Amino acid sequence: MVNFTRSEDLIDPLSRVLEPPANETSEQRAAREAREAEARRVSDRIDEQIRSEKQANSRNRAPVKVLMLGQAESGKSTTVKVFQMSYARQSWEAERMSWRTVIHLNLVRSVNRILAVLENVPETETAGRVNLLRMRLSPLRRVQRDLEMHLGLAEGDELHAAADTGVFRCPAEVCLRSQNGWANALGLARQKTRGQGKRSLAEEALEVILMSRDDIAALWGDDEVRTALDVRGLRLEDQSGFFLDDLYRIAHRGYEPTDDDVVRARLRTVGVQEFRFFVEIGGEAGREWIFYDVGGSRSHRGVWHPYFTDVKAIIFLAPISVFDEKLEGDPSVNLLEDSIKLWTTVCKSKLLSKVQLILFLNKCDILERKLARGVSLKRYIPTYGDRKNDMPTASKYLRNQFLEIARKQSPEPRTVHCFMTTAIDTRATAKTLAAIRGRILNDNLQSAELLR
């Protein structure tokens, strides 16, 4: 039997509830419509608030991108390491032991640099004991190559010295040629360390280092060797990756790198490097920070522009201790002059005029030591005039010069946050990074229209 549904049964029950009362007066209808309009406005406001909060959360979790600029050896990688140590502690701890091999390489490389200089020193300038040490330490050249192979580094040039020019060059520095920089080398080292059975190249290299410890100490402590290095302008203690003063602590089977050791370690990278860290502390936990180190040497500066897009801040590092040093490969160019030219280019760029600009006048510790030794700033910077050759006066002068360039060369008025820094001073650098991190985040929120 077929059942027929009456038309009144098809009426939506909700529509019956929403129907106006049958005997509604005009005044009641006006009041009801006003209530319904207010309810719609409240509902729309709630919906808009929900959409805004979703957008805010989405924007708030977008990566914060920072561009590191500066010439080679300015301290960019060191600064990135201090950021990781301070805000991404778990990833830092996971990598810390892997730096052990890098630090051993730094130690051996310093010894080989000394040996390269001594090869071109007349025997009349050194005693027979120095020549004996040179012979006994010669296996460390092979150790350096083995450690480079263990880390998967690009092959370096042979140790050499340009005796014809009177400028003795240290061994060419080996480099990483990968986008992920030291992360790849450390990952490779970890994989090889986990291997079973046969000893790794790093372990074999350490055995040779252990057998050479006393000879290394004798070489570094020899007055005639130190004199030969000073005459040729090689001050290893002023360069990154210097560990000769920590020889017996580092050349040890039970050695575990400290935070300061890792920050001081040197592993030069070639090309553009990208470092990603997720902040693990505070209200920003889970936020990703991306640092781009685009390389500071002249040959790399042509690839900078693609990385200017969408960065929230530029940290420019200018090592002010290099006022008496020359550009490698072009001894006619003063290193501080080269850094100033690079800074001027960044300030003049219209593409970067809206990007927050942070200036680190770095390596203040080395500048202070040089001035204390009597190295004259006026000799290399005539405009310094008759000012005192001390750290407070010199740092103030250089700071004013860099800020004046920014004021004159910027396409439009801008604020430059300037800090006097020593990147390897982890505590001081961490405090500086905490200050600029707040500024960068604040600027990031403003650009996302979350702050008015």
Side-chain angles (χ1 to χ4, degrees), residues 144-260:
Q144 179 176 334
R145 289 192 292 269
D146 287 348
L147 290 176
E148 293 165 5
M149 290 177 60
H150 180 79
L151 290 168
L153 302 179
E155 185 176 355
D157 296 334
E158 294 297 323
L159 310 181
H160 63 283
D164 55 333
T165 63
V167 179
F168 290 83
R169 301 187 183 279
C170 302
E173 189 166 16
V174 293
C175 305
L176 279 172
R177 300 181 181 276
S178 70
Q179 185 177 1
N180 293 322
W182 70 64
N184 281 11
L186 299 182
L188 182 61
R190 284 197 296 270
Q191 292 174 11
K192 292 181 178 179
T193 301
R194 296 191 189 107
Q196 300 292 329
K198 186 179 178 180
R199 286 196 308 183
S200 68
L201 288 174
E203 292 169 331
E204 293 178 354
L206 177 57
E207 293 302 316
V208 179
I209 295 172
L210 293 175
M211 291 187 293
S212 304
R213 282 185 304 189
D214 292 341
D215 289 334
I216 294 173
L219 181 75
W220 179 238
D222 191 278
D223 291 338
E224 293 178 349
V225 172
R226 293 292 190 95
T227 299
L229 297 179
D230 287 341
V231 168
R232 288 151 183 84
L234 180 58
R235 294 191 62 86
L236 292 174
E237 57 269 41
D238 286 346
Q239 300 180 9
S240 57
F242 173 76
F243 291 98
L244 283 172
D245 286 344
D246 302 284
L247 170 64
Y248 285 100
R249 179 176 65 87
I250 288 170
H252 190 278
R253 288 189 181 87
Y255 166 63
E256 295 185 4
T258 65
D259 288 347
D260 285 343

Side-chain angles (χ1 to χ4, degrees), residues 26-38:
S26 58
E27 290 81 9
Q28 291 173 331
R29 183 173 67 251
R32 175 179 56 78
E33 290 175 348
R35 289 194 301 271
E36 291 173 351
E38 178 59 22

Side-chain angles (χ1 to χ4, degrees), residues 244-297:
L244 283 172
D245 286 344
D246 302 284
L247 170 64
Y248 285 100
R249 179 176 65 87
I250 288 170
H252 190 278
R253 288 189 181 87
Y255 166 63
E256 295 185 4
T258 65
D259 288 347
D260 285 343
D261 290 342
V262 175
V263 170
R264 289 162 50 204
R266 177 62 177 161
L267 188 57
R268 186 178 179 185
T269 52
V270 173
V272 177
Q273 310 299 319
E274 179 182 288
F275 303 99
R276 293 173 174 263
F277 306 118
F278 286 94
V279 171
E280 299 167 2
I281 61 176
E284 288 296 313
R287 166 72 71 83
E288 184 180 27
W289 284 62
I290 306 175
F291 290 85
Y292 297 107
D293 178 354
V294 295
S297 66

